[in-house]
Amino acid sequence: MKHSNKPLLLAAVAAAVGLMPLVASAQNVSEVDRLRAALLMLSRTLVEKNVITPAGAQDLLREAGMDPAVLTATTPATAGATYTGAAVPPPPARIAPDAAAPVVRVPYVSETVRREMREEIRQEVLAQARAERWGDPGALPSWLSKVTVAGDVRVRLQRDSYPSDNDSAVNVDSFYQLASGATGNTTEDRDRMRVRARLGVQAKVADEVEAGMRLVTSSGGDANNPISANVDLGKFNRRLGAAFDLAYVSWSRGFWSARAGRTANPYLTSDLMWSSDMTMDGASVTWAPVQSVDWSGFITAGVHPLQEINNSSTSLASDKYLFAAQAGGRWQGLGGTQVRAGAALYDFHGIESELNPATPASNTLNNDGAPTVRQRGNTMFNIASLSNPSGTAVWGLASNFRVLNLTAAAEFGYADPWRFGVNADYVHNLGFDANEIRARIGTAAANLPTDASGATGLSRPRLDGYRLEFSAGYGPRDLAGSWQVFAGYRVLQRDAVPDAFASADYRLGGTDQKAGFLGGSYNLAPNTSITARYVNAESLDLAPKYGVRTWTVDLNTRF
């Protein structure tokens, strides 16, 4: 049975019932009789069409002050009917010409009030239709109401421009111990269109348990890129690939929550430490007590596997893990003002590499300790410099990484609708120990490249990074017509953080760089914005100069 007209019919009945007292107040009995007859006929029609039940029709008549028994009566509509509990009076006798005519007062209902009445009735009917699922009862399974689908699409125009005094790509690769051709280009400007699409599903499995997964765009070698889901277009319309970057189960109770699998980054941070697109393997636990309406705190701890190695008699490299802990808090003030701050320690266990022994010749005992993902910047050494000095180099990380990260962000909304913000971030590698590195890599230390000052990464440690950004905006973030501008500066020294996870938005990724940036965004519609950004990034200590000026224009939308 279809119910496509049910809301409209019920609205008509409701409107008729609601106008009965107004008509009755006119003391015009014949008009009341005709309206009662119309209402009775309409009720019978609704019952015949199976739109409402007979009991429901009797309820409508009772609400209108009529005897519900007339629904099944065979006498005329006025027979035996009652109005406001009194018997229906007989038709009034004709008034003599000289008799005084009664004064009839009909309340005036303005068009505004009528519109409001219609809208109220419509909303009530629609609410009931949604609650009772009139359109197709029972068609949707109950579990579907516990599943949330969300996603976003970003289309990017990107231009990478290279200063005229850049050195050759060969020299850049040599200084950063990259495979020949890794940098590719340092002189010819490049224009491209890129896209990033993400589609996620989150399911409420139980009151305390959720599960989720997300697909992101990937193509070719990009599938192995942990820091970006951007895919270049202009490949003869080949179809875009996709890969999962989220697959997790989470649990929460009170102030406690935990998540395991491939999860979103659970730590408060900026793009100085981690790329904004990066997700993490492993598990983490958060305790987030709420002290008051304004104040809340959090402590998060996690274990994240980076590389699992199948150890054997021919492979002595150890597994690589990240152990992380962060504590911080949030304060919410008047006018949307809010402050967030956190202090974190990221301990990369086993990420440093070991030198192969000289014997037996050509052994590869520690080759698996070389990082499988890297960009450019960190101090590297040749793991095989003793075991295979004339063969292909196997580059490993010289430094341990135990990174202290202090971060804070504030947004001030006292001058509503104006917003002003500041973000600050600082990192320092506590794990760097030049003496320990020399003892571990032995004679390979003599072959480390020298920087622009003439020093190596061991004789002149470069272990710090900082970032400062200011922003100003007008209007709520999701409102069409609102906008924001921002500008900032960042420095990220060679061995401050692992270069594998640094943002690709600055000099196409890596460390050993300084960069100024500015831009702005404008909301075209709710959940849709356009953002323009300019980044001028240059090397810090690289002996040959290597800089990249990047312009991007992003069209973002989410659902």
Side-chain angles (χ1 to χ4, degrees):
M1 178 176 62
K2 297 183 178 179
H3 299 283
S4 58
N5 293 324
K6 185 175 182 181
L8 182 61
L9 292 171
L10 290 184
V13 174
V17 172
L19 293 175
M20 284 288 285
L22 298 179
V23 177
S25 64
Q27 299 179 359
N28 189 333
V29 177
S30 60
E31 291 296 330
V32 173
D33 290 343
R34 284 195 293 272
L35 184 58
R36 285 202 306 269
L39 179 59
L40 179 60
M41 182 174 61
L42 178 60
S43 300
R44 287 173 172 170
T45 302
L46 292 177
V47 173
E48 292 173 358
K49 299 295 184 180
N50 292 326
V51 175
I52 59 176
T53 64
Q58 290 176 342
D59 288 340
L60 290 175
L61 296 176
R62 189 179 294 108
E63 183 70 20
M66 298 175 59
D67 186 351
V70 300
L71 184 68
T72 56
T74 57
T75 55
T78 57
T82 58
Y83 183 72
T84 62
V88 176
R94 184 176 298 275
I95 302 175
D98 57 346
V103 177
V104 178
R105 293 182 175 87
V106 180
Y108 171 71
V109 181
S110 67
E111 180 61 29
T112 301
V113 174
R114 288 197 294 271
R115 282 199 301 268
E116 291 177 353
M117 293 173 61
R118 286 195 296 267
E119 181 62 21
E120 288 178 1
I121 293 171
R122 188 180 71 87
Q123 292 297 337
E124 291 176 1
V125 172
L126 289 177
Q128 185 178 356
R130 285 192 293 267
E132 298 179 1
R133 296 197 293 182
W134 289 348
D136 197 1
L140 299 178
S142 59
W143 60 263
L144 196 58
S145 62
K146 301 179 181 180
V147 175
T148 302
V149 179
D152 64 89
V153 177
R154 181 179 72 193
V155 179
R156 168 173 289 186
L157 300 177
Q158 180 169 333
R159 178 177 178 81
D160 299 319
S161 176
Y162 300 94
S164 58
D165 57 349
N166 268 2
D167 209 322
S168 67
V170 173
N171 288 338
V172 173
D173 289 340
S174 176
F175 181 81
Y176 289 131
Q177 296 98 0
L178 295 168
S180 179
T183 300
N185 175 35
T186 61
T187 57
E188 299 299 323
D189 295 351
R190 182 183 186 187
D191 298 299
R192 50 182 164 164
M193 177 179 284
R194 317 183 79 186
V195 67
R196 183 194 69 184
R198 301 184 291 195
L199 179 63
V201 177
Q202 187 174 23
K204 188 77 171 179
V205 179
D207 290 341
E208 299 175 345
V209 180
E210 291 183 351
M213 61 188 70
R214 185 173 68 181
L215 282 171
V216 300
T217 45
S218 67
S219 179
D222 293 332
N224 298 318
N225 185 352
I227 64 168
S228 176
N230 290 319
V231 173
D232 295 340
L233 302 180
K235 297 181 178 179
F236 279 90
N237 298 320
R238 292 189 180 99
R239 291 182 177 86
L240 303 179
F244 284 99
D245 76 331
L246 290 178
Y248 65 90
V249 175
S250 66
W251 169 89
S252 62
R253 176 184 294 175
F255 296 145
W256 291 91
S257 62
R259 59 214 65 84
R262 171 63 66 86
T263 72
N265 190 335
Y267 306 104
L268 176 64
T269 186
S270 75
D271 61 18
L272 188 68
M273 181 72 206
W274 306 106
S275 169
S276 59
D277 278 357
M278 201 187 77
T279 56
M280 291 185 171
D281 295 342
S284 61
V285 178
T286 298
W287 179 59
V290 178
Q291 284 77 29
S292 67
V293 175
D294 301 329
W295 289 92
S296 63
F298 66 91
I299 297 176
T300 299
V303 178
H304 308 279
L306 299 176
Q307 183 181 5
E308 190 275 330
I309 297 174
N310 186 13
N311 300 106
S312 67
S313 59
T314 59
S315 178
L316 303 182
S318 59
D319 294 345
K320 298 175 175 60
Y321 283 89
L322 166 63
F323 300 98
Q326 184 179 59
R330 296 177 175 85
W331 175 74
Q332 181 79 36
L334 298 175
T337 296
Q338 55 180 330
V339 178
R340 300 175 299 162
L345 183 65
Y346 301 105
D347 186 1
F348 293 85
H349 178 74
I351 196 172
E352 70 281 1
S353 300
E354 300 280 348
L355 187 69
N356 286 339
T359 58
S362 300
N363 75 80
T364 59
L365 293 176
N366 293 308
N367 282 17
D368 287 341
T372 56
V373 176
R374 57 175 299 217
Q375 298 185 81
R376 61 178 62 84
N378 290 158
T379 299
M380 312 292 290
F381 73 96
N382 183 10
I383 295 174
S385 61
L386 293 180
S387 61
N388 192 11
S390 60
T392 302
V394 180
W395 299 109
L397 286 169
S399 175
N400 290 295
F401 286 91
R402 189 176 302 110
V403 182
L404 172 67
N405 180 207
L406 305 177
T407 184
E411 183 174 81
F412 306 97
Y414 291 119
D416 188 59
W418 289 91
R419 306 188 315 274
F420 302 93
V422 59
N423 297 286
D425 214 16
Y426 171 75
V427 293
H428 176 73
N429 183 11
L430 300 171
F432 187 96
D433 185 334
N435 292 330
E436 184 275 334
I437 295 174
R438 288 189 181 95
R440 176 162 40 86
I441 72 174
T443 58
N447 298 320
L448 295 179
T450 56
D451 62 22
S453 70
T456 68
L458 296 187
S459 58
R460 183 173 176 255
R462 303 287 275 163
L463 311 176
D464 297 299
Y466 60 86
R467 181 184 189 276
L468 187 63
E469 178 183 353
F470 297 95
S471 63
Y474 184 87
R477 293 186 183 277
D478 291 334
L479 183 66
S482 63
W483 54 266
Q484 183 183 43
V485 293
F486 55 87
Y489 185 77
R490 76 198 293 267
V491 169
L492 192 58
Q493 295 178 346
R494 287 198 65 181
D495 293 313
V497 300
D499 63 27
F501 308 121
S503 173
D505 292 337
Y506 305 90
R507 210 184 60 164
L508 304 180
T511 61
D512 184 36
Q513 57 178 254
K514 57 184 178 181
F517 58 92
L518 57 88
S521 63
Y522 180 81
N523 276 15
L524 302 172
N527 299 324
T528 303
S529 65
I530 186 167
T531 301
R533 181 183 177 95
Y534 169 70
V535 176
N536 183 12
E538 299 178 348
S539 55
L540 277 174
D541 300 312
L542 177 69
K545 183 177 179 182
Y546 175 51
V548 182
R549 298 165 183 166
T550 301
W551 286 264
T552 57
V553 178
D554 295 339
L555 177 62
N556 309 275
T557 187
R558 56 188 175 87
F559 55 91

